[in-house]
Amino acid sequence: MSQTYNLELTLDVNTEIYPLKVFDRFSLALTTRLRKDDEPDDGTWDQSGFESHADDFQYVMYGKVFKHHSKPGEPDMSVFVSFGGLLMHLRGDEAHLSKFDLDMRLYLLIRKN
């Protein structure tokens, strides 16, 4: 459960390259752009030397929103993202999740606290 936005997170992580255990505390960010100057990128590895949000995190994945839904009359919404077969499900208040559009490309960034 997110302590900031009161969202429930279910996430697949490749624990062979980034060991993460149940109850480990971590920070997670979702963004459509990695460059700190907010210039768009094309989703490929950038070796240009521009400052990147990825520099501040330990684990980064790139994926696409493949499903989102909410039930009429309920304030909660679910968003599903695939990161090359590793899946994420976020559930919580629609006010926080309504900005995630179908087929939206996202970067997920994690660092342990």
Side-chain angles (χ1 to χ4, degrees):
M1 185 66 76
S2 165
Q3 293 182 346
T4 305
Y5 295 104
N6 199 28
L7 299 172
E8 183 181 306
L9 169 71
T10 304
L11 178 66
D12 291 334
V13 174
N14 185 342
T15 56
E16 289 182 15
I17 62 171
Y18 191 70
L20 195 60
K21 299 175 188 152
V22 176
F23 301 117
D24 277 354
R25 293 178 57 93
F26 60 91
S27 296
L28 182 144
L30 295 169
T31 184
T32 57
R33 299 176 179 186
L34 282 181
R35 288 178 54 154
K36 287 186 177 181
D37 62 6
D38 209 30
E39 287 293 317
D41 57 57
D42 61 5
T44 59
W45 175 251
D46 180 6
Q47 298 181 38
S48 64
F50 286 104
E51 287 189 49
S52 167
H53 293 293
D55 298 335
D56 302 325
F57 290 84
Q58 301 160 329
Y59 185 76
V60 179
M61 295 193 293
Y62 182 66
K64 181 169 88 168
V65 176
F66 69 92
K67 181 179 178 182
H68 60 75
H69 67 84
S70 58
K71 294 180 182 177
E74 290 189 17
D76 281 358
M77 178 178 185
S78 286
V79 174
F80 299 86
V81 183
S82 176
F83 300 97
L86 296 174
L87 303 178
M88 177 184 76
H89 173 220
L90 270 177
R91 188 174 68 80
D93 191 330
E94 188 172 359
H96 297 302
L97 299 176
S98 62
K99 296 177 184 172
F100 295 102
D101 296 322
L102 199 58
D103 294 327
M104 175 184 250
R105 301 288 179 163
L106 289 174
Y107 292 96
L108 176 139
L109 305 103
I110 296 177
R111 75 172 161 256
K112 292 180 185 176
N113 294 342

